[in-house]
Amino acid sequence: MNPASPGNPYKSYGYPPYGTPRGGVSLEMFLEVLRKRWPLLILGTAIIGGIVTFKTIRQPYFYQATAQVVFSAQDWQSSISRGNALPQSNVMIPPSVLMTQESIIRSDAVMERVVQSLQMADKDKDPAKFDASVRRIKGMVSISREGDSHIFLIMATAGKPEEAMMVANSVAESYIKFNYDRTLATYRKSISWLSDELVDLEKKLEDAQKELISFIETEKLTSFGDEGSNQVPVLTRQAEEEDSALLRRLHSERVDLDLQLSQLLKRYRPAHPKVRKTEDDLAAVVQKIKEEEALVERNRGKRAQEIIGSKQKEIRYSILTRKVDINKQLYNTLIKKLKETDIDSAVVNNNIDVLEYAKTPGGPAGPNKQGRILFAFAFGMIFSLGLAMVLEFLDTSLRNTEEVQSYIRLPVLAAIPRLDSVGPDSEGPLLLDANADSPLREAYRVLRTNVRFSASSGHGKVIMVTSTDKGEGKSTIACNVGITNAEAGKRTLLIDTDFRVHSLSHITNVNNDRGLTQFLTEGGNLSDFIVESKLPNLWVVPSGPIPPKPALLLESERMKLLIQEAAGQYDQVILDAAPVSLVIDPVLVAHLVEGVILVIEAGRVSRTRIIKAIQQLETVKANLFGVVLNKEDLRKKAYYAYRGYYGYATQQA
């Protein structure tokens, strides 16, 4: 039967399906975790804080000292062209150059100089110790830049303040010396290269001069200056002018002879002697002109060859002369550069300076032991709290009424307090040992009332009390419900149907030699197996010896007859059944009773097992009145109101 069945007063509450929570993490839950798992919080905080405190106390203090060096800008291109390295303040340094300088400061070359300057080890005598010292210095030193400036901060960390100061200053000085030596080595390499080039150039100049002299001697040249270069063209022009004058004269004679011949032919016949003589003279002049023109052409070609040869010699002479001049200029330039580089190397300007030397630290830079210890305890507390919350979420048991209402779709009939949560004057588990105004009695009064109103007829005549697992206190609750009814004047019968454990017989302290087993197997009257308890109106039917097959007995007709007879003779019949998840016995009896009460021990059984137990009972259509949450810790709940109220009333009386 589910909560929506007829006669269930909780049907209008709208309970969610099984396993569906009706709320998240709340402040109340958080406080409950703190209250429940405070030993874990204290232990976790103490362990983490203690370990860190122990290590922190043993950790020695360290000191830090910082030296500042400034890296001046340098015009590298002009330095190469000038052969020096003078700082130029107007030149921006690329970031890559500054990063390179940081790497140089951290380099083994600089650290080795630091080890040597501090005389920490001898590289030749003990290389292993020397290398170890270099690694130690590198571990002590850290390099950084002050913003975007050219200032490097060299920070040394050591166990002694004086050592930190010495290491920081030594690194700064070693870095400057390393840069100085590197620059000087560059100059020396430049000088060596210039010297080698000068020797080679000197030989080239000497060879060029020898080649020029050999050419002059071979061609028998006196000079190729302005006068020599104009000599050939002048002679050529004079010869051409002479040839032209001769040809003009011959052509003039030819013209004159033509005129004479023309005049003679007008006066004489062609055979006249004068005519013939003039014709012969004209033919001689024409022949002379032809011969002269041929001679002029031959002379002109010869003179052209002479001009070309002269020009070639002049060009060759110019080339050799220019080669000598160029080599001479290079030679003079290299001599000058060599002298300048030699002078610069003698007075090298270092572009790195110490801006501020490190001072002896006035106090330790760390560790901050007090802050670290406080942080450790705070972290331990937070970690422990987180672990407690994780464990709380991993714990799938139902620990209080709110969780039962969130995950189980059954009403909570009552919450029975855990005895140690009541206080040092706690009563025993049975109401016989409890005061009349105790919270334990009040809880069972609430249970009795809710059971009565859970039945459709107005009261539960025959009920069964069971649980999910063993040891959840179902027998004690069944007995106390019977005691409550008996005290209210109702004739109450307790029947122990848990053949295997006999818990009810032990609690009520009745003889278990004869009981339900004999009634179901041997027969007889029910009254022969009923034992009267010490409390009026309360009787008990013990379970008796363990039968071979308890399940067969519980589903027999004799069992139905027992329930019918008991219901006719008593006002209240309560069956103490075995746990549902362990045996089938309670499922076989559940449909014979008027209602079933499921006992859940707070914080013990998982939600999954509880839900499966409920589903088993619902399979046989059992009428589940609700859940009794047993052993709930009520120190943070309204249960204190009971105790405070009744305690006050007692004092007033």
Side-chain angles (χ1 to χ4, degrees):
M1 179 177 179
N2 55 42
S5 61
N8 192 333
Y10 297 93
K11 64 182 179 180
S12 62
Y13 285 11
Y15 284 89
Y18 292 138
T20 304
R22 293 193 301 177
V25 179
S26 61
L27 178 61
E28 184 179 357
M29 177 183 176
F30 181 76
L31 296 176
E32 176 67 15
V33 172
L34 293 179
R35 183 201 61 76
K36 182 179 178 181
R37 302 189 183 272
W38 63 265
L40 175 62
L41 298 179
I42 295 177
L43 182 62
T45 303
I47 291 176
I48 295 177
I51 292 174
V52 175
T53 299
F54 177 74
K55 291 186 176 181
T56 301
I57 292 176
R58 296 189 55 177
Q59 187 176 4
Y61 286 104
F62 61 86
Y63 300 84
Q64 289 181 342
T66 304
Q68 299 182 9
V69 295
V70 58
F71 182 81
S72 302
Q74 182 173 336
D75 188 353
W76 303 101
Q77 298 299 329
S78 61
S79 298
I80 295 173
S81 64
R82 294 192 310 269
N84 56 23
L86 296 178
Q88 301 295 318
S89 59
N90 59 343
V91 179
M92 294 298 295
I93 301 179
S96 59
V97 174
L98 297 175
M99 293 175 63
T100 302
Q101 294 303 312
E102 291 186 28
S103 300
I104 291 175
I105 300 175
R106 294 191 186 95
S107 65
D108 289 344
V110 174
M111 297 304 165
E112 288 178 0
R113 290 171 178 263
V114 174
V115 173
Q116 292 172 351
S117 64
L118 296 178
Q119 298 180 354
M120 299 176 66
D122 192 325
K123 187 174 184 179
D124 297 330
K125 295 181 180 180
D126 194 348
K129 182 180 179 181
F130 185 84
D131 294 339
S133 299
V134 171
R135 290 193 297 271
R136 178 171 175 267
I137 293 296
K138 291 186 73 173
M140 295 169 60
V141 176
S142 62
I143 312 299
S144 62
R145 256 194 315 137
E146 192 173 294
D148 295 331
S149 66
H150 302 166
I151 299 175
F152 292 98
L153 304 178
I154 302 174
M155 180 181 295
T157 304
K160 298 179 180 180
E162 296 80 7
E163 184 181 10
M165 177 199 66
M166 288 190 299
V167 170
N169 291 333
S170 180
V171 171
E173 293 173 352
S174 298
Y175 168 53
I176 294 173
K177 185 68 168 60
F178 174 80
N179 184 75
Y180 178 87
D181 293 344
R182 191 164 60 95
T183 306
L184 185 60
T186 302
Y187 279 127
R188 289 174 178 172
K189 288 181 181 179
S190 299
I191 293 173
S192 176
W193 179 82
L194 289 173
S195 300
D196 294 340
E197 288 294 318
L198 193 61
V199 172
D200 183 61
L201 191 58
E202 185 177 5
K203 185 176 184 305
K204 290 181 179 179
L205 177 60
E206 183 178 353
D207 293 342
Q209 290 174 341
K210 289 181 179 179
E211 187 178 1
L212 178 60
I213 294 172
S214 175
F215 175 76
I216 293 174
E217 291 177 349
T218 301
E219 298 297 333
K220 298 180 180 180
L221 302 176
T222 55
S223 67
F224 269 100
D226 294 336
E227 181 180 354
S229 60
N230 294 327
Q231 183 177 4
V232 174
V234 169
L235 295 176
T236 301
R237 285 195 299 270
Q238 290 177 355
E240 288 180 353
E241 289 177 357
E242 291 177 358
D243 293 338
S244 299
L246 179 59
L247 286 173
R248 284 194 300 271
R249 188 175 63 253
L250 291 175
H251 281 289
S252 178
E253 289 179 2
R254 179 183 177 182
V255 171
D256 292 339
L257 289 174
D258 284 334
L259 291 174
Q260 290 178 11
L261 180 61
S262 176
Q263 291 176 358
L264 289 174
L265 288 175
K266 290 178 180 180
R267 293 172 61 184
Y268 302 106
R269 293 182 180 275
H272 192 273
K274 289 184 178 182
V275 174
R276 288 185 177 273
K277 182 178 183 305
T278 302
E279 290 178 348
D280 293 337
D281 293 338
L282 178 61
V285 170
V286 171
Q287 182 63 32
K288 185 67 174 177
I289 290 173
K290 291 180 179 180
E291 292 176 357
E292 190 63 29
E293 287 179 349
L295 180 60
V296 168
E297 288 296 328
R298 288 195 299 271
N299 291 336
R300 184 175 296 172
K302 184 177 179 181
R303 286 193 295 271
Q305 291 296 326
E306 291 177 354
I307 291 172
I308 291 172
S310 177
K311 287 294 182 181
Q312 289 177 344
K313 292 179 181 179
E314 183 178 359
I315 292 170
R316 178 63 176 167
Y317 177 81
S318 299
I319 291 173
L320 293 177
T321 304
R322 191 160 51 250
K323 183 177 180 181
V324 171
D325 293 339
I326 290 173
N327 287 332
K328 187 180 295 183
Q329 291 176 1
L330 289 175
Y331 182 76
N332 294 332
T333 302
L334 281 180
I335 290 178
K336 181 180 179 182
K337 186 68 67 176
L338 181 60
K339 291 180 180 180
E340 292 176 353
T341 305
D342 192 21
I343 294 173
D344 289 336
S345 65
V347 287
V348 174
N349 290 321
N350 200 343
N351 63 323
I352 304 173
D353 297 308
V354 177
L355 185 63
E356 182 178 339
Y357 280 98
K359 299 179 179 61
T360 304
N368 184 3
K369 295 186 178 182
Q370 182 178 2
R372 186 174 296 183
I373 292 173
L374 291 176
F375 175 79
F377 277 98
F379 174 79
M381 182 178 297
I382 296 174
F383 176 80
S384 301
L385 181 59
L387 180 60
M389 294 297 293
V390 170
L391 294 176
E392 193 73 10
F393 281 107
L394 293 178
D395 184 6
T396 60
S397 63
L398 302 176
R399 293 154 293 187
N400 51 54
T401 305
E402 290 76 13
E403 291 185 358
V404 174
Q405 292 175 342
S406 296
Y407 288 95
I408 306 300
R409 63 179 190 185
L410 290 173
V412 179
L413 300 176
I416 309 302
R418 195 174 65 196
L419 295 181
D420 60 353
S421 69
V422 178
D425 55 345
S426 302
E427 303 88 353
L430 288 180
L431 294 182
L432 293 171
D433 304 324
N435 297 325
D437 55 358
S438 69
L440 191 63
R441 280 187 177 274
E442 185 63 28
Y444 280 103
R445 292 190 190 103
V446 172
L447 174 59
R448 180 172 62 87
T449 302
N450 287 335
V451 170
R452 183 162 59 89
F453 284 101
S454 295
S456 59
S457 59
H459 65 278
K461 184 80 171 181
V462 182
I463 62 174
M464 183 183 75
V465 180
T466 184
S467 63
T468 303
D469 202 354
K470 63 181 181 179
E472 293 190 76
K474 62 175 180 57
S475 299
T476 301
I477 289 177
C479 184
N480 282 333
V481 171
I483 293 173
T484 304
N485 287 321
E487 290 178 344
K490 294 182 178 294
R491 290 171 52 82
T492 305
L493 178 63
L494 297 174
I495 302 176
D496 190 357
T497 62
D498 191 354
F499 292 109
R500 297 169 179 81
V501 181
H502 321 297
S503 299
L504 189 60
S505 302
H506 292 300
I507 293 174
T508 57
N509 196 21
V510 297
N511 191 351
N512 195 50
D513 294 338
R514 284 176 57 83
L516 183 61
T517 302
Q518 285 79 5
F519 176 80
L520 296 177
T521 57
E522 299 174 2
N525 295 324
L526 178 61
S527 58
D528 297 335
F529 301 96
I530 296 176
V531 180
E532 187 176 0
S533 69
K534 298 178 181 180
L535 188 67
N537 297 323
L538 184 63
W539 289 265
V540 179
V541 176
S543 62
I546 302 176
K549 297 179 180 179
L552 294 178
L553 295 180
L554 293 175
E555 65 179 350
S556 65
E557 291 297 326
R558 293 284 296 174
M559 188 64 192
K560 295 180 182 179
L561 177 62
L562 180 145
I563 293 176
Q564 291 175 0
E565 290 184 7
Q569 299 176 13
Y570 295 91
D571 299 323
Q572 179 81 64
V573 179
I574 302 174
L575 279 68
D576 178 22
V580 178
S581 63
L582 299 182
V583 292
I584 195 64
D585 300 4
V587 178
L588 299 175
V589 181
H591 70 283
L592 302 177
V593 299
E594 189 174 347
V596 178
I597 297 174
L598 181 64
V599 177
I600 299 174
E601 181 180 348
R604 178 177 175 183
V605 184
S606 67
R607 296 190 293 267
T608 304
R609 293 189 64 190
I610 294 172
I611 293 173
K612 287 183 179 179
I614 295 174
Q615 290 173 344
Q616 279 185 281
L617 293 172
E618 288 183 341
T619 302
V620 295
K621 302 186 183 310
N623 184 14
L624 285 168
F625 282 169
V627 172
V628 174
L629 184 63
N630 192 26
K631 301 179 184 180
E632 183 182 13
D633 191 349
L634 302 179
R635 281 178 289 190
K636 298 294 182 180
K637 291 184 175 292
Y639 137 81
Y640 267 132
Y642 298 138
R643 181 163 187 169
Y645 174 77
Y646 286 111
Y648 174 77
T650 303
Q651 293 175 4
Q652 294 296 320

